[in-house]
Amino acid sequence: MAEKRLLVVGAHSADFVWRTAGVIAKFVAQGGEAQVVALSYGERGESGVLWEEPGQTEEKVKQIRHREAEAAAAHLGANLTAFDLGDYPLRVTEEATDKLAELMRDFAPTVVLTHPDTDPFNPDHPEAFRMTQRARLMTSGAGVESGFRTAPPSEFLVFEPHQPELCGFVPSVFVDITSVFAQKQAAMAEMKAQQYLQSYYAERAGHRGNHARKVTGAKDIREAEAFMRIVPNVAESL
């Protein structure tokens, strides 16, 4: 198992592509291992184009969304696990939370990424945050020896939402994805049910690249992705 392990938990099967595909690709390129969990397929609320097809069914939409997400994950070098909990609303159960916690114990991620805890336009995203946060706490315990199987505490960050200013999202980390931006574009192109988002998130990567250049003075940064830390990181020095 790789020393660095990234776990990305999305409410819907395409969320990881828009928000963190660049980081996933770069993480893997640097020798890490990446696991993506899609809590639902977004079959009801995020697959409008697919529902235009005559005779469409929910099961067919799920199958299409699964194929799209698998193909996108393959471009990034990540593994995909689908929980199929349903969307709009995402119905989080104790059993599903236990399942995610068990996955965390097995995978022992060093970094966990998910949605912010607030989204006035999407009811599923905050549910995904709460489920991920709870599962992570159940996995690590109180950071000491426990009477159940644990994994070491991970870094915990949220990725950028569609409307950051309305979701309490204030970036504390920018990641330069210039070297892997072509992989992000390839992954986004697989999500044919939501083609309208491809140009939006390509432009967003350019915006964040501009911000990263201003922070660092590194003129070679063209694209970046933004994240906000939920728990502090620990460093040997500043």
Side-chain angles (χ1 to χ4, degrees):
M1 184 177 283
E3 291 186 5
K4 293 177 59 182
R5 293 172 298 280
L6 172 66
L7 176 65
V8 180
V9 182
H12 314 107
S13 57
D15 288 335
F16 76 95
V17 178
W18 315 124
R19 279 64 180 243
T20 188
V23 159
I24 294 171
K26 193 163 188 180
F27 197 91
V28 172
Q30 293 176 341
E33 184 178 355
Q35 172 72 52
V36 173
V37 172
L39 299 180
S40 81
Y41 289 115
E43 66 273 8
R44 287 158 48 89
E46 305 203 343
S47 304
V49 173
L50 299 179
W51 285 104
E52 295 174 1
E53 298 180 17
Q56 188 63 276
T57 67
E58 194 167 297
E59 191 56 39
K60 288 180 181 178
V61 171
K62 288 181 182 181
Q63 291 172 4
I64 293 169
R65 296 278 289 186
H66 187 92
R67 289 195 298 269
E68 289 182 349
E70 275 198 325
H75 283 295
L76 311 175
N79 297 312
L80 173 74
T81 298
F83 277 29
D84 193 12
L85 299 179
D87 69 313
Y88 288 85
L90 176 67
R91 300 192 184 280
V92 175
T93 64
E94 286 297 319
E95 291 77 13
T97 304
D98 289 343
K99 180 180 177 180
L100 181 59
E102 192 64 13
L103 184 152
M104 289 182 177
R105 293 184 188 104
D106 290 338
F107 186 57
T110 53
V111 183
V112 174
L113 304 177
T114 192
H115 300 269
D117 65 356
T118 302
D119 193 325
F121 298 112
N122 194 304
D124 296 347
H125 293 169
E127 290 297 321
F129 172 85
R130 285 187 283 270
M131 180 178 176
T132 304
Q133 181 185 51
R134 181 169 170 78
R136 179 181 173 275
L137 291 173
M138 290 167 57
T139 300
S140 62
V144 297
E145 292 298 323
S146 303
F148 53 90
R149 193 164 68 97
T150 62
S154 65
E155 292 192 60
F156 188 28
L157 302 91
V158 295
F159 43 65
E160 182 164 16
H162 196 73
Q163 300 93 357
E165 65 278 3
L166 299 178
C167 298
F169 180 86
V170 180
S172 54
V173 178
F174 292 119
V175 178
D176 176 11
I177 63 166
T178 306
S179 63
V180 294
F181 186 59
Q183 286 174 261
K184 175 163 184 161
Q185 289 178 304
M188 291 194 296
E190 297 290 352
M191 311 311 295
K192 298 176 177 59
Q194 292 176 283
Q195 292 185 9
Y196 58 93
L197 288 177
Q198 295 176 24
S199 59
Y200 178 91
Y201 279 100
E203 292 173 3
R204 173 57 69 181
H207 297 159
R208 291 312 191 185
N210 176 275
H211 299 160
R213 286 196 301 276
K214 291 181 181 297
V215 170
T216 62
K219 297 181 180 179
D220 57 341
I221 299 177
R222 307 315 306 170
E223 292 88 19
E225 289 173 341
F227 303 86
M228 182 172 74
R229 290 192 180 278
I230 301 301
V231 297
N233 64 318
V234 178
E236 293 294 331
S237 63
L238 295 179

